[in-house]
Structures are given as structure tokens and as C-alpha cells.
Amino acid sequence: MNIDERIAHHTRMAKAYGNAYLRQGVQDGEEYVDESGQDAWRFADDAIYTSPYFTGDEVILMREALADTGRAATMEAKAYSLTFPDWKPADFKYWPAANGLVMKTRWQGTATDGTTMGFYSYSFIETNDLGEITRWETHVNDEYGPFLDVAIGRSGPFHGNAEYLDALTACLERAGVTV
């Protein structure tokens, strides 16, 4: 891909991500597909994921992850929606570049008792010449811990490949929800 094609691809990636969450389709297993119905997110064989909040100081090789990205996103959205049925982006911004994109999302939801809570997440994504993700890094602001305490009954930071997924699984199991 040339630079213009890569920037257009990164724009499609961002829009596919944002739109899937805005529609609240991720909790039903919706993938990040572009306007033509194609999967906009493809991972390179050596793709990594890292996050100070979700993996601690570990870097996860995506092909060795315990759950595929789509399943993990569905688990997360289902778990959060148990307490915050309208949980989704309240604001979504993205900046595509030749080598990837940056996304800033204000997530928010209102609990059944009327309490509104939210947090910001920031994703930094790098891609290779084929437009495949090689690195995905996520950061969250300090509102996330209190949100998680209410949403799933536990907050992080989490460590490694399994701790956050285990917390989501426990939340879903308590509610009798399967993914």
C-alpha cells in the first residue's frame, strides 16, 4: 500500500471500531468491519498487545492470547452492559497516519440506578506495509478503576494474559451469561 492507501485503511479501521461500539453490536459478537462489510482489523503473525493496565509489564503475542480479540471484546462489552446497559462511546476521535492510528474514546454508561460513569481509553496502533496490526497498546485514565469496581466488581491493574479475562469471565458467570 502507498501512503494514501494506508491512511485510508487506518481510517476504515478506526471507523469500524467506533461504529461497532456505537451500535452496541460488540456485545453481540459484532466484529470491526468496514463499510463494505470486510474485516478492517487484521493482525500480523507477530502482532503484540501491551497495556500497563491490562497486561502489566508483559507484552502479549496476539497469536498466543487466551481469547481472540473479537471474543475478548464481546466478553468485555457484555460484562459492562450488565450494570451499564447503554455503555458505549460518548465521544470517539481518531488520528490516522501512514504507520497506524491513534484513538481516544470516552466510554460512558448509565447504571440501572441512574448513576452515570465513564472513562477514557487511548489506543496506539502500528501496522506493517500490508496494513496488518503489529502493535496495539491501550492506556486508560484514572476513572477506569472505579468504573470497573462497579461494572464487574474488580479493578486492576491486571497482569499477564489471563487476569483481566478471568475477571470478566467471573462477572459473566455470576450473572449466568455465556459468550
Side-chain angles (χ1 to χ4, degrees):
M1 286 189 233
N2 65 36
I3 290 176
D4 291 338
E5 291 168 332
R6 290 188 72 186
I7 290 172
H9 173 68
H10 298 142
T11 299
R12 284 192 303 278
M13 287 176 64
K15 287 180 177 180
Y17 177 91
N19 289 337
Y21 281 104
L22 281 169
R23 286 189 296 272
Q24 293 184 293
V26 174
Q27 70 190 42
D28 296 324
E30 184 177 324
E31 299 283 330
Y32 309 142
V33 296
D34 65 20
E35 62 277 356
S36 69
Q38 299 297 311
D39 185 4
W41 284 50
R42 297 182 316 274
F43 292 89
D45 288 339
D46 60 348
I48 61 169
Y49 176 80
T50 187
S51 170
Y53 199 90
F54 295 110
T55 65
D57 59 358
E58 290 189 37
V59 174
I60 306 300
L61 190 59
M62 294 297 290
R63 70 171 178 255
E64 295 175 359
L66 295 175
D68 70 59
T69 306
R71 184 172 188 280
T74 297
M75 291 173 63
E76 181 179 67
K78 276 188 181 295
Y80 294 0
S81 295
L82 294 171
T83 303
F84 299 96
D86 63 345
W87 177 80
K88 63 183 177 183
D91 188 44
F92 178 69
K93 292 182 171 52
Y94 60 92
W95 298 270
N99 65 333
L101 68 137
V102 175
M103 299 183 298
K104 175 184 174 187
T105 310
R106 173 66 184 178
W107 301 96
Q108 196 162 290
T110 302
T112 53
D113 69 2
T115 304
T116 298
M117 294 183 80
F119 60 93
Y120 283 96
S121 71
Y122 310 89
S123 287
F124 302 88
I125 298 170
E126 290 179 298
T127 63
N128 62 21
D129 291 338
L130 301 173
E132 298 168 327
I133 297 169
T134 57
R135 180 184 180 88
W136 182 6
E137 186 172 323
T138 305
H139 298 267
V140 292
N141 74 338
D142 61 357
E143 294 173 286
Y144 190 59
F147 173 88
L148 271 189
D149 283 334
V150 173
I152 68 170
R154 180 168 177 216
S155 61
F158 301 97
H159 301 281
N161 192 7
E163 198 172 351
Y164 178 61
L165 291 174
D166 289 347
L168 292 173
T169 299
C171 173
L172 292 168
E173 286 176 352
R174 285 191 305 272
V177 175
T178 58
V179 175

